[in-house]
Amino acid sequence: HGSGPLPADGPPVRVIANALLKHGVAVLCYDKRGVGASGGTFRHNAYDDFVEDGINAVHYLNSRNDVDHKAIGLLGSSEGSIIAPEIALRSKSVAFVIHRAGIAVDAIECNLWEQRHEQIDRGISGDLLEDSIRLQQLIFEMLVESKKDPKTVESESWHQVDAEIVSFNQKYRSNETWIKHGKRFGNKLADWERFFEGVASAIAYDPQPFIEQLDIPMLYIFAEKDENVPTSASVKYLKSLKMNSSKQLDIRIIPDV
């Protein structure tokens, strides 16, 4: 699945599933937790839940007698792609992974890439664009660090980011473009804590340790002009990994898309 409360029979999933079925590939699609016929509660960006559900799906396939247990693969789209390597590694029985709109960089970098293009689409540019992206990066990095080490809260670094928020708000408080289209950063880091509680596992997520431990074939399919996934950064990382290891990586880029 990509991001959001997607069902198993949503159009993107259905198109891919039908294409695989026509080639004789058995497909397991499931509603996300808390969506459709699935139990539980859907939580946006709950990567820990999504990973566990993916592992359980692999275990279910291994329990069936009509499935080739040596040929079970994963196909992840966008958000599904970023967690697929962890699912494959922890399940210990995945033969290959296909990444559609693949993400091979950490979630902060991906999130900032997406926010940059959202702001460009709203007419934000120049120093305002760069300053807002830089501030968002500082906020995310500090919040991630605070979850690793609670002592970071109210530290000198924490207060430095507070000062950056105040400085940004003062600099652009009369900017009409920002007032109309910009994102509000609040007045201090503490204003972000409640929001961050709900997305902590996603913002702090990094797929690279799992990618680097996998020793199975992986296919990454990218759109050259993807505004949600940082294609160039992901491809750069994957090419470097492939050059310096024996990884079975295949990288495909669809041009002008």
Side-chain angles (χ1 to χ4, degrees):
H1 292 291
S3 61
L6 300 178
D9 61 350
V13 178
R14 189 165 60 244
V15 168
I16 296 170
N18 285 339
L20 292 170
L21 289 169
K22 288 178 181 178
H23 286 82
V25 179
V27 178
L28 170 63
C29 301
Y30 56 89
D31 296 327
K32 274 189 172 179
R33 183 181 299 208
V35 178
S38 287
T41 302
F42 176 80
R43 296 187 298 137
H44 280 282
N45 303 307
Y47 284 11
D48 47 354
D49 288 347
F50 300 158
V51 168
E52 293 302 323
D53 293 342
I55 292 171
N56 287 331
V58 175
H59 290 167
Y60 167 71
L61 289 174
N62 274 311
S63 73
R64 295 182 62 106
N65 295 324
D66 57 350
V67 170
D68 183 349
H69 299 162
K70 295 182 179 180
I72 295 172
L74 302 176
L75 192 158
S77 295
S78 191
E79 184 179 76
S81 167
I82 199 171
I83 61 174
E86 182 178 358
I87 295 170
L89 186 69
R90 290 178 53 194
S91 67
K92 297 181 172 62
S93 56
V94 170
F96 63 90
V97 181
I98 299 173
H99 302 262
R100 175 180 170 271
I103 301 171
V105 295
D106 66 66
I108 289 180
E109 183 170 357
C110 187
N111 190 284
L112 293 174
W113 175 268
E114 188 171 27
Q115 288 196 24
R116 173 180 291 275
H117 285 279
E118 286 178 357
Q119 293 193 38
I120 290 172
D121 290 343
R122 294 172 185 165
I124 296 171
S125 61
D127 288 345
L128 174 56
L129 174 64
E130 298 306 322
D131 286 351
S132 66
I133 295 298
R134 174 179 169 275
L135 180 57
Q136 184 67 82
Q137 182 174 356
L138 289 174
I139 290 171
F140 280 157
E141 289 176 347
M142 183 55 61
L143 290 171
V144 168
E145 187 61 31
S146 72
K147 296 307 172 185
K148 295 178 181 176
D149 180 6
K151 294 180 181 178
T152 304
V153 177
E154 301 301 332
S155 66
E156 182 178 351
S157 298
W158 180 277
H159 289 303
Q160 286 176 349
V161 177
D162 276 345
E164 292 280 356
I165 294 172
V166 171
S167 177
F168 180 93
N169 288 337
Q170 290 177 342
K171 183 176 181 179
Y172 293 109
R173 62 187 174 187
S174 300
N175 186 290
E176 292 185 6
T177 301
W178 185 254
I179 292 171
K180 186 175 181 180
H181 299 292
K183 181 176 185 177
R184 300 296 175 263
F185 288 112
N187 298 309
K188 53 188 177 180
L189 265 173
D191 295 336
W192 282 80
E193 288 189 285
R194 180 176 296 180
F195 160 80
F196 190 70
E197 285 297 329
V199 300
S201 69
I203 296 299
Y205 197 83
D206 185 355
Q208 292 183 0
F210 305 106
I211 295 171
E212 291 166 12
Q213 292 179 71
L214 277 178
D215 189 25
I216 57 175
M218 287 182 281
L219 168 63
Y220 277 86
I221 304 171
F222 295 98
E224 181 183 24
K225 299 180 180 180
D226 199 325
E227 294 187 355
N228 300 108
V229 174
T231 292
S232 58
S234 291
V235 169
K236 181 180 179 180
Y237 163 74
L238 291 169
K239 284 184 174 179
S240 175
L241 182 62
K242 185 175 182 179
M243 184 180 299
N244 295 291
S245 70
S246 58
K247 296 290 182 188
Q248 302 175 70
L249 284 170
D250 193 359
I251 304 167
R252 306 288 179 90
I253 304 173
I254 302 174
D256 299 319
V257 175

